[in-house]
Amino acid sequence: MIPRTMLEIAAAHQPDWSAPEELSAVRNALRTRPPLVDAHSCYALAGELEFVARGEAVVIQAGDCAELFSDSARHRVQAKASQLHHLCETAETAGVPTVRIGRFAGQFAKPRSCATEVLPDGTEIPVYRGDAVNGVTPTAAARRADPARMLTAYDLAASGLDALFMRQLLLLEGGSGIGSLLAPTYISHEALLLDFEHALLRPDPARGGDYASSAHMVWIGERTRQLDHAHLAFAERITNPVGVKIGPNATPEEVIAIVDRLATGHRRGRLSLIIRMGAEKIADRLPALVAAPGTRAGQVTWLCDPMHGNTKKTTAGQKTRVVTEIQAEITRFCRILREHRVHPGGLHLEVSPDPVTECVDTVTELSGALDLDRYESACDPRLNPDQAQRVVRHFTRSL
């Protein structure tokens, strides 16, 4: 049976590419480029995730909300990898082995709830969808969906992976021969732009079929996980570890269908369900979803994304998140998983290695005229290094 092509299946949150001939040329160029990651390293990550699903380790998956091309130089990727290392070291100091997965070197696209935004002068322009699609500058010219940006995204991801390799090599040459410093750093991103992802499919020589050579792990977002849409079909096709974001409106039937399609025939832990419900809703919504797959719940890696369900706005209109609410969601996530005899498998965080002021520590800070003066994210608020360390320590105490 010939699989249906991407064009025959609905695909949500795809850009309105205005230059079809240029898009075709970009797709063809990506098809000729080397894979960003090799199939064997994807298989190695799958093996580590099997240990997570068994309850023998946890995942710390962390990095940018939406990477900027201007913030993707080699030294910046190394800074992000160093932050991820320190977060994992925090967990390991508490006696918890970790699998480290970076949310960088490829996280250049974001789904958005609205297709346009209105500027203060009343001008309506396309919304920013990540640097792989358009520019963050609020002008009509910058917001045009430009297919050539996907080539830049590939080049910067390749450069970022080289930076990670060089960091590992320098650690070896410096005599760091054992311990968590030399644990591999895998990369991941949301598989949103199907033109990009399909063009980077490559044959998997070890397992047959195709793998996504754009990253070791990719995830399908809450807005694109429809059972009859192209993103889930893409995840079903590839051999990589995959994640699916699960929000408060997910049903037990949807979770069962996702587990059936993406876990069947794969090793334990290949599928990660990334729970993003918010501190207020998780206690009510998550128990039925964990119970739905029955004994197969233990075949899945369960991760907590305590960021996206806890977004608030300051009086000045800036999006922010509250650390105590992030911690509350983590506490409830771990308790519910343990009650169902399933391992709380880890965290999925948006963080910055810089001392940004995008998240606040307590909800009382939102009551006054708060000015988040170091707000540098292109999209959603990120934890700064101190906040991220506190969140990881809270997770290890909640296990």
Side-chain angles (χ1 to χ4, degrees), residues 194-263:
L194 292 176
D195 292 297
F196 183 82
E197 301 297 343
H198 276 270
L200 289 175
L201 285 173
R202 298 293 182 267
D204 184 338
R207 288 161 288 184
D210 294 326
Y211 80 103
S213 75
S214 61
H216 301 105
M217 174 188 181
V218 295
W219 74 84
I220 307 303
E222 167 74 359
R223 296 183 179 97
T224 56
R225 61 168 175 77
Q226 299 92 341
L227 296 177
D228 59 348
H229 278 40
H231 287 88
L232 212 64
F234 175 79
E236 189 174 16
R237 174 178 177 178
I238 61 178
T239 58
N240 309 58
V242 297
V244 179
K245 290 286 189 83
I246 302 294
N249 295 323
T251 66
E253 293 75 21
E254 287 173 331
V255 169
I256 291 170
I258 290 169
V259 171
D260 285 345
R261 289 179 62 177
L262 302 185

Side-chain angles (χ1 to χ4, degrees), residues 38-382:
D38 64 86
H40 294 289
S41 58
C42 298
Y43 189 70
L45 173 57
E48 295 199 39
L49 291 172
E50 188 169 1
F51 284 105
V52 175
R54 290 175 177 171
E56 299 172 19
V58 300
V59 170
I60 304 295
Q61 185 174 15
D64 272 311
C65 164
E67 282 184 279
L68 292 171
F69 287 170
S70 60
D71 191 42
S72 298
R74 291 186 174 209
H75 73 282
R76 290 297 295 161
V77 174
Q78 289 176 338
K80 296 168 189 178
S82 293
Q83 181 186 23
L84 177 60
H85 159 71
H86 290 307
L87 294 177
C88 292
E89 192 175 53
T90 296
E92 289 164 359
T93 300
V96 183
T98 64
V99 178
R100 61 196 64 188
I101 305 177
R103 189 183 157 118
F104 46 73
Q107 179 55 15
F108 293 119
K110 288 285 289 185
R112 305 304 299 273
S113 53
C114 296
T116 62
E117 66 173 294
V118 178
L119 301 180
D121 65 1
T123 304
E124 188 173 17
I125 61 173
V127 73
Y128 173 65
R129 293 182 179 274
D131 274 13
V133 178
N134 56 10
V136 69
T137 305
T139 65
R143 295 292 176 83
R144 183 183 76 88
D146 181 1
R149 284 177 166 269
M150 289 190 286
L151 297 177
T152 305
Y154 173 95
D155 291 338
L156 289 172
S159 175
L161 282 159
D162 286 344
L164 293 177
F165 176 77
M166 289 302 299
R167 178 179 180 273
Q168 198 84 346
L169 190 62
L170 289 171
L171 289 171
L172 281 168
E173 291 177 348
S176 299
I178 58 173
S180 64
L181 278 172
L182 295 182
T185 299
Y186 300 100
I187 65 162
S188 66
H189 63 255
E190 180 174 356
L192 179 64
L193 299 180
L194 292 176
D195 292 297
F196 183 82
E197 301 297 343
H198 276 270
L200 289 175
L201 285 173
R202 298 293 182 267
D204 184 338
R207 288 161 288 184
D210 294 326
Y211 80 103
S213 75
S214 61
H216 301 105
M217 174 188 181
V218 295
W219 74 84
I220 307 303
E222 167 74 359
R223 296 183 179 97
T224 56
R225 61 168 175 77
Q226 299 92 341
L227 296 177
D228 59 348
H229 278 40
H231 287 88
L232 212 64
F234 175 79
E236 189 174 16
R237 174 178 177 178
I238 61 178
T239 58
N240 309 58
V242 297
V244 179
K245 290 286 189 83
I246 302 294
N249 295 323
T251 66
E253 293 75 21
E254 287 173 331
V255 169
I256 291 170
I258 290 169
V259 171
D260 285 345
R261 289 179 62 177
L262 302 185
T264 302
H266 295 275
R267 65 197 301 176
R268 187 176 184 179
R270 182 259 183 170
L271 169 63
S272 293
L273 295 180
I274 307 169
I275 306 302
R276 44 149 294 175
M277 297 191 170
E280 294 181 0
K281 296 180 180 179
I282 190 169
D284 180 56
R285 309 291 173 83
L286 182 57
L289 304 186
V290 180
T295 57
R296 299 189 70 196
Q299 298 295 313
V300 172
T301 304
W302 294 81
L303 304 182
C304 179
D305 170 1
M307 308 292 292
H308 286 88
N310 292 307
T311 304
K312 298 185 180 299
K313 282 195 175 182
T314 68
T315 54
Q318 291 172 301
K319 286 197 294 184
T320 190
R321 287 152 179 167
V322 181
V323 171
T324 53
E325 294 182 353
I326 288 169
Q327 292 172 327
E329 181 165 4
I330 291 169
T331 299
R332 292 160 193 166
F333 169 84
C334 291
R335 174 178 54 78
I336 292 164
L337 268 291
R338 289 197 312 271
E339 287 173 351
H340 289 80
R341 299 184 179 179
V342 176
H343 178 53
L347 295 176
H348 181 107
L349 303 174
E350 292 181 341
V351 301
S352 170
D354 304 321
V356 297
T357 55
E358 297 170 1
C359 296
V360 299
D361 289 337
T362 65
V363 72
T364 56
E365 296 177 57
L366 300 178
S367 59
L370 179 67
D371 179 24
L372 301 174
D373 59 341
R374 287 210 60 182
Y375 201 107
E376 301 171 6
S377 175
C379 191
D380 291 337
R382 302 162 297 173

Side-chain angles (χ1 to χ4, degrees), residues 24-48:
S24 179
V26 167
R27 285 179 187 151
N28 289 336
L30 289 171
R31 290 189 186 105
T32 67
R33 295 198 174 189
L36 288 168
V37 301
D38 64 86
H40 294 289
S41 58
C42 298
Y43 189 70
L45 173 57
E48 295 199 39

